[in-house]
mmCIF file of all heavy atoms in Angstrom:
data_model
loop_
_atom_site.group_PDB
_atom_site.id
_atom_site.type_symbol
_atom_site.label_atom_id
_atom_site.label_comp_id
_atom_site.label_asym_id
_atom_site.label_seq_id
_atom_site.Cartn_x
_atom_site.Cartn_y
_atom_site.Cartn_z
ATOM 1 N N THR D 220 9.959 13.591 1.255
ATOM 2 C CA THR D 220 10.629 14.102 -0.012
ATOM 3 C C THR D 220 11.066 15.533 0.161
ATOM 4 O O THR D 220 11.942 16.094 -0.553
ATOM 5 C CB THR D 220 9.730 13.949 -1.228
ATOM 6 O OG1 THR D 220 8.615 14.888 -1.118
ATOM 7 C CG2 THR D 220 9.285 12.518 -1.418
ATOM 8 N N ARG D 225 15.699 19.284 0.433
ATOM 9 C CA ARG D 225 16.692 20.004 1.192
ATOM 10 C C ARG D 225 18.118 19.386 1.074
ATOM 11 O O ARG D 225 19.089 20.132 1.055
ATOM 12 C CB ARG D 225 16.213 19.913 2.715
ATOM 13 C CG ARG D 225 15.031 20.755 3.022
ATOM 14 C CD ARG D 225 14.333 20.296 4.324
ATOM 15 N NE ARG D 225 13.131 21.081 4.463
ATOM 16 C CZ ARG D 225 13.012 22.267 5.106
ATOM 17 N NH1 ARG D 225 14.072 22.723 5.613
ATOM 18 N NH2 ARG D 225 11.845 22.867 5.078
ATOM 19 N N SER D 270 15.874 25.170 -0.898
ATOM 20 C CA SER D 270 15.180 23.997 -1.458
ATOM 21 C C SER D 270 14.015 24.369 -2.288
ATOM 22 O O SER D 270 13.764 23.756 -3.344
ATOM 23 C CB SER D 270 14.786 23.006 -0.272
ATOM 24 O OG SER D 270 13.874 23.642 0.587
ATOM 25 N N ALA D 274 13.574 23.647 -6.306
ATOM 26 C CA ALA D 274 12.484 22.853 -6.685
ATOM 27 C C ALA D 274 11.643 23.243 -7.951
ATOM 28 O O ALA D 274 10.851 22.546 -8.491
ATOM 29 C CB ALA D 274 11.456 22.568 -5.525
ATOM 30 N N ARG D 280 13.913 18.227 -10.286
ATOM 31 C CA ARG D 280 12.734 17.513 -10.069
ATOM 32 C C ARG D 280 12.779 16.065 -10.699
ATOM 33 O O ARG D 280 12.431 14.996 -10.097
ATOM 34 C CB ARG D 280 11.448 18.184 -10.579
ATOM 35 C CG ARG D 280 11.144 19.541 -10.001
ATOM 36 C CD ARG D 280 9.705 19.922 -9.990
ATOM 37 N NE ARG D 280 8.918 19.114 -9.056
ATOM 38 C CZ ARG D 280 8.901 19.395 -7.852
ATOM 39 N NH1 ARG D 280 9.414 20.477 -7.342
ATOM 40 N NH2 ARG D 280 8.191 18.611 -6.969
ATOM 41 N N ARG D 301 4.890 17.617 -2.084
ATOM 42 C CA ARG D 301 3.971 18.573 -2.771
ATOM 43 C C ARG D 301 3.321 17.933 -3.928
ATOM 44 O O ARG D 301 2.211 18.287 -4.283
ATOM 45 C CB ARG D 301 4.805 19.791 -3.160
ATOM 46 C CG ARG D 301 5.554 20.534 -2.196
ATOM 47 C CD ARG D 301 4.699 21.310 -1.188
ATOM 48 N NE ARG D 301 5.408 22.149 -0.288
ATOM 49 C CZ ARG D 301 6.202 21.769 0.687
ATOM 50 N NH1 ARG D 301 6.406 20.514 0.870
ATOM 51 N NH2 ARG D 301 6.747 22.684 1.424
ATOM 52 N N ASP D 302 3.979 16.916 -4.556
ATOM 53 C CA ASP D 302 3.579 16.386 -5.785
ATOM 54 C C ASP D 302 3.440 14.870 -5.760
ATOM 55 O O ASP D 302 3.554 14.179 -6.812
ATOM 56 C CB ASP D 302 4.538 16.794 -6.923
ATOM 57 C CG ASP D 302 5.883 16.302 -6.719
ATOM 58 O OD1 ASP D 302 6.218 15.861 -5.541
ATOM 59 O OD2 ASP D 302 6.713 16.185 -7.585
ATOM 60 N N ARG D 346 7.144 30.988 0.289
ATOM 61 C CA ARG D 346 7.479 29.705 -0.227
ATOM 62 C C ARG D 346 6.289 28.965 -0.736
ATOM 63 O O ARG D 346 6.290 28.393 -1.781
ATOM 64 C CB ARG D 346 8.050 28.873 1.059
ATOM 65 C CG ARG D 346 9.036 27.781 0.599
ATOM 66 C CD ARG D 346 10.092 27.620 1.665
ATOM 67 N NE ARG D 346 9.596 27.215 2.927
ATOM 68 C CZ ARG D 346 9.476 25.940 3.332
ATOM 69 N NH1 ARG D 346 9.737 24.985 2.413
ATOM 70 N NH2 ARG D 346 9.092 25.617 4.499
ATOM 71 N N ASP D 350 5.891 27.570 -4.373
ATOM 72 C CA ASP D 350 5.687 26.095 -4.555
ATOM 73 C C ASP D 350 4.340 25.889 -5.267
ATOM 74 O O ASP D 350 4.188 24.811 -5.920
ATOM 75 C CB ASP D 350 5.597 25.390 -3.134
ATOM 76 C CG ASP D 350 7.012 25.440 -2.436
ATOM 77 O OD1 ASP D 350 8.011 25.728 -3.084
ATOM 78 O OD2 ASP D 350 7.017 25.225 -1.260
ATOM 79 N N ARG D 353 4.670 27.474 -9.414
ATOM 80 C CA ARG D 353 5.736 27.084 -10.459
ATOM 81 C C ARG D 353 5.053 26.240 -11.472
ATOM 82 O O ARG D 353 4.026 25.587 -11.325
ATOM 83 C CB ARG D 353 6.845 26.313 -9.669
ATOM 84 C CG ARG D 353 6.358 24.909 -9.113
ATOM 85 C CD ARG D 353 7.511 24.146 -8.474
ATOM 86 N NE ARG D 353 6.867 22.995 -7.910
ATOM 87 C CZ ARG D 353 7.153 22.471 -6.779
ATOM 88 N NH1 ARG D 353 7.980 23.117 -5.902
ATOM 89 N NH2 ARG D 353 6.546 21.389 -6.373
HETATM 90 O O1 DC W 1263 8.264 20.094 2.963
HETATM 91 P P1 DC W 1263 9.651 20.892 3.072
HETATM 92 O O2 DC W 1263 9.328 22.278 3.617
HETATM 93 O O3 DC W 1263 10.666 20.224 3.796
HETATM 94 O O4 DC W 1263 10.090 21.107 1.579
HETATM 95 C C1 DC W 1263 11.143 22.000 1.127
HETATM 96 C C2 DC W 1263 10.872 22.439 -0.240
HETATM 97 O O5 DC W 1263 11.082 21.480 -1.223
HETATM 98 C C3 DC W 1263 9.555 23.112 -0.509
HETATM 99 O O6 DC W 1263 9.506 24.414 -0.293
HETATM 100 C C4 DC W 1263 9.272 22.676 -1.903
HETATM 101 C C5 DC W 1263 10.118 21.474 -2.299
HETATM 102 N N1 DC W 1263 9.374 20.285 -2.406
HETATM 103 C C6 DC W 1263 8.886 20.077 -3.697
HETATM 104 O O7 DC W 1263 8.883 20.827 -4.601
HETATM 105 N N2 DC W 1263 8.314 18.762 -3.918
HETATM 106 C C7 DC W 1263 8.199 17.909 -2.927
HETATM 107 N N3 DC W 1263 7.613 16.740 -3.190
HETATM 108 C C8 DC W 1263 8.724 18.143 -1.693
HETATM 109 C C9 DC W 1263 9.287 19.376 -1.431
#
Side-chain angles (χ1 to χ4, degrees):
T220 69
R225 287 163 187 270
S270 58
R280 299 207 72 83
R301 303 290 189 292
D302 59 343
R346 211 144 64 87
D350 295 343
R353 66 177 177 228

